Amino acid sequence: MDDLLPGMLDLARDGSETLTRQLTDQLRELIARGRLAPGQRLPSSRQLAGSLALSRNTVSFAIEQLAAEGYLSLSAGRRPEVTAGLSLDRRTSPRSNRAGSQRINLSAWAGGLHRADWPPVHDGPPRPFQPGLADEREFPHDAWSRFLRRAARNAPLRRDRPINHPPLQEALLGHLVVHRGIKAKASQILIVPTAQAGLTLAANALLERGDHAWIESPGYGGANVALHAAGAIVSAIPLDAQGMAISPPKDAPRLIFVTPSHQYPTGRLMPIGRRLELLRFAEATGACVIEDDYDGEFHYEARPVAALQGLATSPQVFYLGTFSKATYADIRFGYLVVPEALVDVFEIAQRHTGMLASITMQDALAEFISAGAYLGHIRRMTRLYKGRRDRMLQALAAEAGGRLSIEAPAGGMQLLARCQANDRQLSARLLEAGVVSRPLSGMLYHKTGEQGLFLGFAAWNEKEIDRAARILGRIVR
């Protein structure tokens, strides 16, 4: 072996990697593959250095490193020895590793992920009429950059670092009380990385496996996957003209997920009568309600209806919101307003699940809101988005004629265009032509023959809307 070992090593002397690193890596690989067996002795550092034309220090460092990692055993006056009893797979190779990964058993949840029609993924840059996007070109990036820089400079000065930043909780509460009718204390607001994270947190904290949960149909795919992941038996509740149809259930739900401000995806506003009916039903059955107000900042017709959370007389409503729609997609923070009695346990759950948001970003958002920049941006975008909604309604009517039936949403950032054609095929043809849509059938969780396209208008200017509407009209015709 003293003579053979140098021939098993191939050291490049072109300077791309140090000789010490090469020698260490190659000896480790020989041991790991079983080319050097447990108990086998290596040449002395002096002998190996001479055979390889290396300095003794280079060889000694490599041997000491491998000894520290447990590959070699060293003792005074004796040559290095491959550690006895090493349990290494001599067949290990990149190919066998790949094959082994294919034999790993996944959980039932992970095994079913590919069957969920959520989240929608579109390769490449955003394109009309991709729903759910704000127009980041209209965001006050310069002002936001100033708030971010100031927050970053202040970071070393912070001594108390609660996971939910009190200045942001206070600033956000002030906004929600005035504009959404929320009734809460600042400490009840949890700041999470995304609204989906807040939904997952609430579902995991409130549901036992086998509990019943309700979602709207058609409805938000993120709620469907979060409730199933929590082990719930999910029931799809069809909509009527006023939103989720409330009827005495065979199995009372433990949790109800609704989007009352702008139903996802129809855009319908749940009127006050149905809201009160839902709250009375939840109180009578002991169900909790997750109210997702995902784009409730944008109302175009009359004054917005107060959030369910502010109407509730019992602490059963969890209010979920996001900054990504009112600002732009990179500011993805969500927030969850929880009952006061549950704040402590939900904060522990935040820590256990790692659903924590950057304090520096929270600090910047707090100043963004407190300085009035947030409200100013929302008001400006509300005017802009209303114009884009109207433009899209006109363009689709002109290009598609009576082939699309459109419910004009009273707010929000997208609309639903119902059709008679196969919406999945239609959506695929539109995508090939450069127009993004979502088929309604992918958001239906009960048996029905409804077909339609979910189309976003907020992120696109008039020229972009007109151009995409012409493409859509041509394909629909």
Side-chain angles (χ1 to χ4, degrees), residues 292-352:
D292 186 358
D293 204 10
Y294 62 100
D295 62 0
E297 301 284 6
F298 302 115
H299 291 268
Y300 311 134
E301 314 295 342
R303 185 173 177 82
V305 178
L308 275 178
Q309 195 272 356
L311 296 172
T313 57
S314 59
Q316 290 175 271
V317 180
F318 293 72
Y319 180 86
L320 181 66
T322 178
F323 287 104
S324 68
K325 304 296 188 288
T327 56
Y328 74 109
D330 280 358
I331 306 177
R332 301 191 62 82
F333 283 2
Y335 48 90
L336 183 68
V337 181
V338 305
E340 188 175 7
L342 300 181
V343 169
D344 289 344
V345 70
F346 264 76
E347 286 197 341
I348 294 172
Q350 266 189 287
R351 293 181 185 275
H352 279 220

Side-chain angles (χ1 to χ4, degrees), residues 129-132 262-268 294-295 300 385-386 388-397 404-418 436-438 440 443 452-458 465 472:
F129 294 120
Q130 188 170 332
H262 300 126
Q263 198 281 326
Y264 188 101
T266 65
R268 295 172 187 166
Y294 62 100
D295 62 0
Y300 311 134
Y385 291 168
K386 181 181 184 299
R388 292 179 176 181
R389 179 205 64 172
D390 296 343
R391 182 68 169 228
M392 183 138 163
L393 291 170
Q394 295 168 4
L396 292 178
L404 297 177
S405 175
I406 302 174
E407 299 179 51
M413 305 165 67
Q414 47 253 328
L415 55 80
L416 180 62
R418 297 180 186 271
V436 178
S437 63
R438 287 208 67 200
L440 173 63
M443 295 178 273
L453 299 174
F454 193 41
L455 307 169
F457 55 79
I465 289 172
L472 188 151

Side-chain angles (χ1 to χ4, degrees), residues 121-165:
V121 177
H122 303 290
D123 294 330
R127 289 174 287 177
F129 294 120
Q130 188 170 332
L133 296 180
D135 192 343
E136 63 180 58
R137 296 169 296 190
E138 299 291 340
F139 186 71
H141 291 282
D142 290 342
W144 173 243
S145 297
R146 290 195 299 272
F147 296 136
L148 268 180
R149 287 195 296 271
R150 191 148 47 234
R153 286 197 300 269
N154 292 338
L157 305 177
R158 299 188 196 103
R159 295 294 177 262
D160 188 19
R161 295 173 182 260
I163 59 175
N164 298 297
H165 194 46

Side-chain angles (χ1 to χ4, degrees), residues 432-453:
E432 290 178 358
V435 175
V436 178
S437 63
R438 287 208 67 200
L440 173 63
S441 59
M443 295 178 273
L444 287 160
Y445 307 108
H446 70 290
K447 291 182 179 179
T448 176
E450 295 177 78
Q451 304 281 328
L453 299 174

Side-chain angles (χ1 to χ4, degrees), residues 164-470:
N164 298 297
H165 194 46
L168 179 55
Q169 290 175 308
E170 292 285 354
L172 183 55
L173 178 66
H175 176 82
L176 294 176
V177 166
V178 173
H179 298 281
R180 302 302 300 123
I182 293 297
K183 295 178 181 177
K185 296 179 180 178
S187 60
Q188 292 175 237
I189 301 177
L190 310 184
I191 310 300
V192 288
T194 64
Q196 185 68 23
L199 174 54
T200 300
L201 180 67
N204 289 338
L206 297 172
L207 290 169
E208 296 284 0
R209 188 163 295 276
D211 280 347
H212 289 264
W214 284 8
I215 60 172
E216 302 159 313
S217 182
Y220 174 53
N224 185 44
V225 297
L227 297 178
H228 273 109
I233 299 171
V234 181
S235 296
I237 309 300
L239 307 177
D240 61 21
Q242 296 185 329
M244 177 182 277
I246 309 299
S247 59
K250 178 182 177 182
D251 297 296
R254 176 74 184 89
L255 188 63
I256 301 172
F257 176 89
V258 290
T259 53
S261 294
H262 300 126
Q263 198 281 326
Y264 188 101
T266 65
R268 295 172 187 166
L269 174 67
M270 183 182 285
I272 187 66
R274 178 60 58 84
R275 290 174 182 240
L276 294 175
E277 181 186 356
L278 174 60
L279 291 173
R280 287 192 296 267
F281 174 82
E283 189 167 359
T285 58
C288 293
V289 177
I290 297 180
E291 174 187 13
D292 186 358
D293 204 10
Y294 62 100
D295 62 0
E297 301 284 6
F298 302 115
H299 291 268
Y300 311 134
E301 314 295 342
R303 185 173 177 82
V305 178
L308 275 178
Q309 195 272 356
L311 296 172
T313 57
S314 59
Q316 290 175 271
V317 180
F318 293 72
Y319 180 86
L320 181 66
T322 178
F323 287 104
S324 68
K325 304 296 188 288
T327 56
Y328 74 109
D330 280 358
I331 306 177
R332 301 191 62 82
F333 283 2
Y335 48 90
L336 183 68
V337 181
V338 305
E340 188 175 7
L342 300 181
V343 169
D344 289 344
V345 70
F346 264 76
E347 286 197 341
I348 294 172
Q350 266 189 287
R351 293 181 185 275
H352 279 220
T353 56
M355 293 185 183
L356 310 177
S358 159
I359 299 300
T360 296
M361 281 281 286
Q362 290 191 54
D363 199 18
L365 272 171
E367 188 177 2
F368 187 60
I369 297 171
S370 299
Y374 182 64
L375 182 57
H377 177 64
I378 289 172
R379 286 175 172 167
R380 190 171 73 86
M381 300 313 290
T382 298
R383 294 190 296 270
L384 183 64
Y385 291 168
K386 181 181 184 299
R388 292 179 176 181
R389 179 205 64 172
D390 296 343
R391 182 68 169 228
M392 183 138 163
L393 291 170
Q394 295 168 4
L396 292 178
E399 298 294 340
R403 293 174 177 83
L404 297 177
S405 175
I406 302 174
E407 299 179 51
M413 305 165 67
Q414 47 253 328
L415 55 80
L416 180 62
R418 297 180 186 271
C419 62
Q420 298 299 318
N422 183 304
D423 58 6
R424 291 180 184 270
Q425 293 179 5
L426 185 57
S427 184
R429 291 178 60 195
L430 287 169
L431 186 60
E432 290 178 358
V435 175
V436 178
S437 63
R438 287 208 67 200
L440 173 63
S441 59
M443 295 178 273
L444 287 160
Y445 307 108
H446 70 290
K447 291 182 179 179
T448 176
E450 295 177 78
Q451 304 281 328
L453 299 174
F454 193 41
L455 307 169
F457 55 79
W460 321 110
N461 60 37
E462 293 187 352
K463 289 183 178 179
E464 291 165 335
I465 289 172
D466 291 346
R467 186 184 309 116
R470 285 193 293 272

